Amino acid sequence: MNITLTLASAALAHAEGGKSGLDALGINAAAFLSQLVTFLVVFVLLWKYFLPVIQRTLEKRQALIREGIENAEKAKRDLAEATSNAERIILDAKRQAQDTIERATKNASQVAQQIEVEARERAEKIGQQQIARIQQEANRARMELSRDVVNLSIDAASKVISRSVDSNDNRRLVEEFVTASDQARNN
Amino acid sequence: MNLSPLAAALAIGIGAIGPGLAIGILAAKAMEAIGRNPEAAPVIQTNMILAIVFAEAIAIYALVVALLIKFI
Amino acid sequence: MNLWKLPAITIAPEVIIPGTWITNTLLCTWISIICLLVVFFIGTRRRDLVPAGLQNALEWLVEFLQNLVESVAGKERGKRFLPLVATFFIFILFCNLLDVIPGVDTIGIVHLDEAHANAVVNGPLLWGDLSNQIIPWLRPGTTDLNLTLSMALVSVVVTQILGFSMLGFKDQASKYLNFKAIKDKGGMGLVDFLVGVLEIISELGRLISFSFRLFGNIFAGSVLLAVFAYLLPVVANVIFVPFELFVAVIQAFVFAFLTLLFMQVGTTSHSHHDEGEHEVHHEYEGSAVASH
């Protein structure tokens, strides 16, 4: 700092007479002022015109970029929401379909069972009817047969004993015999 | 015999030793500090440049002296 | 006889238009301003959303400076500091870059000194003994102390103005003439007062260091190019021209950045600083109590 002071004072001392230090360094009032004014002109031009223009452009672009990012984020959010909605709907639909299918399956099996049961019942009923009819027929046939046998045997007996055995007692006798033999055969 | 070129050369030559050392030490310490604490790098750099400027100013005074010797 | 002679090295700019004060450096300063305005005019003519070419480069530059200023001074002060800092950087950059253009420093009018007063000058190219008998038409603006000193003056004065307007007259004046310290502390306050006086001297020293740093670097650069054009033509300058481009950018940055730093320091109040420390202290105590 002392050097600075000496320098300044030396320069001042020289300035008073002859070729000064400032002259040697090329410093003079006219050149200095013109350079100063030149610089100030540039300063004002940049300050008042060019820098604001560029800064405005930069700010506008930044605002635009920010807006774009916000829009993109919003779009992303919307997309996520829509996707979750769609998933939910699909899930619901799936569940409903499952339910419907299950219900349908259950119904179908119920119906099938019912039909089966009915069919079996009817088949049984038909079978029983048939058996009953066959038995009836068989009974009737047997009765006819036994009557025939009784008649035949009475005829045969009357022929054998040559006399009519149409008395009621005899007839009963023969019938009892036939029934007994019938029962014995059945057993 | 004209010794003024020698005087000018010595003025700037010797005058540059001190600031050169100072700037070297400053930069070394600043690097060390940044190495230890990289988060503080901007602050350290700013202060380093400020300190380097003060050291460099001394070399500039030597330059001024040398120029005055040479051209007056 | 040498093919070339070492170019004559002069610090003082020469008046090249007789009868006026227009020197070769002033002319070159105007040319760099014209370049600057043309570049900015073309660069800002189209304000596309997607920048390309020159517009992109300018916007990158302005954004870089904006971020730099805001990282040092914060958003609010950065807005006030930016114009001057950006002007320093851009203007000095344009002036410095002219340094490496061929023809600057080497094309000029022949001016014979006493030793060669009778020599016959022929042809547009000068050879041999006459090769340094020339006054260049153009010399980069930043190799003129008038320009660097005026810029340093602007830097220091604007810093002071900002100091007065942002701290208030009393605060700013007490930085340099600290009578309050003497009144409050008596003998010990004298030290503070002397520190204030030293601040005044350092402001003056800043004027010199600002102007001579820029001038010294760029002038040394142009001398370096001239000397190596003499020692090893063409070959050496392949290395040194890129180096000078680097120096041009660095010096422009240093000038702008230092202005920014001094503005930031010059508009920061000392008393504010103390209050901040007190607050931190209280917070610390509060947290200690809470932990108990």
Side-chain angles (χ1 to χ4, degrees), chain C residues 96-206:
Chain C
N96 289 354
L97 287 180
L98 278 187
D99 195 7
V100 295
I101 291 174
V104 175
D105 266 336
T106 49
I107 296 176
I109 44 175
V110 176
H111 178 81
L112 300 174
D113 58 14
E114 294 89 22
H116 303 88
N118 299 322
V120 179
V121 180
N122 45 10
L125 298 173
L126 295 177
W127 300 97
D129 281 346
L130 292 178
S131 67
N132 61 358
Q133 307 292 309
I134 194 167
I135 293 175
W137 280 333
L138 296 176
R139 246 179 76 182
T142 39
T143 63
D144 181 1
L145 267 174
N146 290 307
L147 179 60
T148 59
L149 195 60
S150 61
M151 283 195 293
L153 194 68
V154 170
S155 167
V156 170
V157 166
V158 170
T159 304
Q160 290 302 319
I161 291 172
L162 282 174
F164 277 116
S165 77
M166 287 169 82
L167 293 182
F169 182 81
K170 226 178 101 187
D171 243 17
Q172 175 74 358
S174 72
K175 251 189 207 171
Y176 302 109
L177 297 172
N178 202 348
F179 295 118
K180 189 165 164 270
I182 293 181
K183 207 166 67 184
D184 288 354
K185 299 189 212 163
M188 285 304 287
L190 204 61
V191 178
D192 286 359
F193 184 77
L194 284 178
V195 167
V197 174
L198 275 179
E199 285 277 317
I200 300 176
I201 297 169
S202 86
E203 293 287 334
L204 292 175
R206 193 178 297 165

Side-chain angles (χ1 to χ4, degrees), chain C residues 236-258:
Chain C
N237 282 358
V238 172
I239 301 163
F240 283 108
V241 165
F243 177 68
E244 284 311 315
L245 290 175
F246 172 70
V247 170
V249 177
I250 287 293
Q251 285 308 316
F253 178 76
V254 164
F255 200 104
F257 190 61
L258 285 181

Side-chain angles (χ1 to χ4, degrees), chain A residues 88-164:
Chain A
R88 201 153 41 80
I89 289 169
I90 289 173
L91 220 63
D92 276 1
K94 259 186 195 159
R95 209 164 41 230
Q96 271 179 2
Q98 198 83 30
D99 278 1
T100 313
I101 289 170
E102 266 173 25
R103 218 176 311 132
T105 314
K106 214 188 284 171
N107 276 355
S109 66
Q110 253 172 6
V111 169
Q113 240 167 3
Q114 213 177 333
I115 289 171
E116 202 187 330
V117 167
E118 274 174 11
R120 200 170 289 151
E121 275 172 4
R122 238 170 70 189
E124 229 165 78
K125 211 190 278 169
I126 290 169
Q128 277 170 351
Q129 276 174 351
Q130 292 289 23
I131 289 169
R133 222 175 59 202
I134 288 167
Q135 274 179 344
Q136 233 171 10
E137 290 281 318
N139 280 345
R140 204 158 43 106
R142 198 177 294 143
M143 266 160 70
E144 264 175 27
L145 197 63
S146 58
R147 204 166 46 237
D148 283 353
V149 168
V150 169
N151 286 341
L152 274 175
S153 34
I154 289 171
D155 280 353
S158 40
K159 280 239 174 87
V160 169
I161 55 173
S162 321
R163 63 172 181 122
S164 152

Side-chain angles (χ1 to χ4, degrees), chain A residues 5-180:
Chain A
L5 265 189
T6 11
L7 267 180
S9 56
L12 282 177
H14 270 285
E16 279 158 9
K19 195 185 175 216
S20 72
L22 290 180
D23 273 342
L25 296 177
I27 298 174
N28 58 57
F32 182 77
L33 285 179
S34 48
Q35 295 278 26
L36 187 62
V37 169
T38 311
F39 175 74
L40 288 178
V41 167
V42 181
F43 178 39
V44 170
L45 270 178
L46 279 179
W47 180 19
K48 291 292 179 199
Y49 181 66
F50 287 116
L51 284 179
V53 164
I54 293 177
Q55 276 177 312
R56 261 205 304 279
T57 318
L58 284 175
E59 266 163 27
K60 212 190 290 170
R61 184 172 312 124
Q62 260 168 4
L64 199 78
I65 289 171
R66 208 176 307 126
E67 200 178 306
I69 289 173
E70 269 166 20
N71 277 349
E73 268 171 9
K74 193 164 162 284
K76 212 194 265 175
R77 266 203 311 276
D78 286 356
L79 184 67
E81 211 171 294
T83 311
S84 71
N85 264 354
E87 267 171 11
R88 201 153 41 80
I89 289 169
I90 289 173
L91 220 63
D92 276 1
K94 259 186 195 159
R95 209 164 41 230
Q96 271 179 2
Q98 198 83 30
D99 278 1
T100 313
I101 289 170
E102 266 173 25
R103 218 176 311 132
T105 314
K106 214 188 284 171
N107 276 355
S109 66
Q110 253 172 6
V111 169
Q113 240 167 3
Q114 213 177 333
I115 289 171
E116 202 187 330
V117 167
E118 274 174 11
R120 200 170 289 151
E121 275 172 4
R122 238 170 70 189
E124 229 165 78
K125 211 190 278 169
I126 290 169
Q128 277 170 351
Q129 276 174 351
Q130 292 289 23
I131 289 169
R133 222 175 59 202
I134 288 167
Q135 274 179 344
Q136 233 171 10
E137 290 281 318
N139 280 345
R140 204 158 43 106
R142 198 177 294 143
M143 266 160 70
E144 264 175 27
L145 197 63
S146 58
R147 204 166 46 237
D148 283 353
V149 168
V150 169
N151 286 341
L152 274 175
S153 34
I154 289 171
D155 280 353
S158 40
K159 280 239 174 87
V160 169
I161 55 173
S162 321
R163 63 172 181 122
S164 152
V165 241
D166 52 355
S167 69
N168 281 340
D169 293 340
N170 289 344
R171 183 169 285 265
R172 203 178 58 237
L173 201 76
V174 173
E175 271 176 3
E176 271 171 9
F177 166 74
V178 170
T179 315

Side-chain angles (χ1 to χ4, degrees), chain C:
Chain C
M1 189 183 88
N2 285 328
L3 210 52
W4 290 278
K5 287 190 79 174
L6 194 62
I9 297 166
T10 51
I11 289 182
E14 314 271 356
V15 174
I16 51 162
I17 300 175
T20 61
W21 75 102
I22 297 173
T23 58
N24 44 13
T25 51
L26 187 58
L27 192 63
C28 203
T29 308
W30 289 346
I31 288 176
S32 40
I33 289 171
I34 290 168
C35 293
L36 191 155
L37 292 185
V38 166
V39 165
F40 268 80
F41 185 74
I42 294 174
T44 56
R45 194 185 43 189
R46 300 179 56 197
R47 294 163 204 168
D48 291 346
L49 230 53
V50 180
L54 201 56
Q55 190 197 357
N56 198 5
L58 285 183
E59 283 177 5
W60 179 84
L61 181 66
V62 172
E63 208 165 19
F64 164 76
L65 289 169
Q66 220 169 354
N67 289 340
L68 177 80
V69 172
E70 278 173 10
S71 75
V72 171
K75 222 169 179 67
E76 207 170 303
R77 289 167 161 209
K79 276 212 172 67
R80 302 189 68 176
F81 296 169
L82 181 69
L84 188 63
V85 173
T87 308
F88 275 139
F89 183 79
I90 294 163
F91 177 63
I92 294 172
L93 186 65
F94 272 84
C95 286
N96 289 354
L97 287 180
L98 278 187
D99 195 7
V100 295
I101 291 174
V104 175
D105 266 336
T106 49
I107 296 176
I109 44 175
V110 176
H111 178 81
L112 300 174
D113 58 14
E114 294 89 22
H116 303 88
N118 299 322
V120 179
V121 180
N122 45 10
L125 298 173
L126 295 177
W127 300 97
D129 281 346
L130 292 178
S131 67
N132 61 358
Q133 307 292 309
I134 194 167
I135 293 175
W137 280 333
L138 296 176
R139 246 179 76 182
T142 39
T143 63
D144 181 1
L145 267 174
N146 290 307
L147 179 60
T148 59
L149 195 60
S150 61
M151 283 195 293
L153 194 68
V154 170
S155 167
V156 170
V157 166
V158 170
T159 304
Q160 290 302 319
I161 291 172
L162 282 174
F164 277 116
S165 77
M166 287 169 82
L167 293 182
F169 182 81
K170 226 178 101 187
D171 243 17
Q172 175 74 358
S174 72
K175 251 189 207 171
Y176 302 109
L177 297 172
N178 202 348
F179 295 118
K180 189 165 164 270
I182 293 181
K183 207 166 67 184
D184 288 354
K185 299 189 212 163
M188 285 304 287
L190 204 61
V191 178
D192 286 359
F193 184 77
L194 284 178
V195 167
V197 174
L198 275 179
E199 285 277 317
I200 300 176
I201 297 169
S202 86
E203 293 287 334
L204 292 175
R206 193 178 297 165
L207 210 60
I208 291 178
S209 66
F210 257 128
S211 57
F212 272 90
R213 179 181 304 112
L214 182 56
F215 164 77
N217 275 287
I218 306 307
F219 184 73
S222 72
V223 169
L224 187 76
L225 288 181
V227 168
F228 272 97
Y230 158 74
L231 290 174
L232 191 60
V234 181
V235 181
N237 282 358
V238 172
I239 301 163
F240 283 108
V241 165
F243 177 68
E244 284 311 315
L245 290 175
F246 172 70
V247 170
V249 177
I250 287 293
Q251 285 308 316
F253 178 76
V254 164
F255 200 104
F257 190 61
L258 285 181
T259 303
L260 173 62
L261 279 186
F262 286 128
M263 279 176 170
Q264 169 66 13
V265 172
T267 55
T268 309
S269 165
H270 292 291
S271 48
H272 266 293
H273 196 63
D274 287 345
E275 278 168 21
E277 271 177 9
H278 277 299
E279 273 169 21
V280 170
H281 205 65
H282 281 304
E283 271 172 26
Y284 175 72
E285 280 173 354
S287 66
V289 168
S291 67
H292 279 298

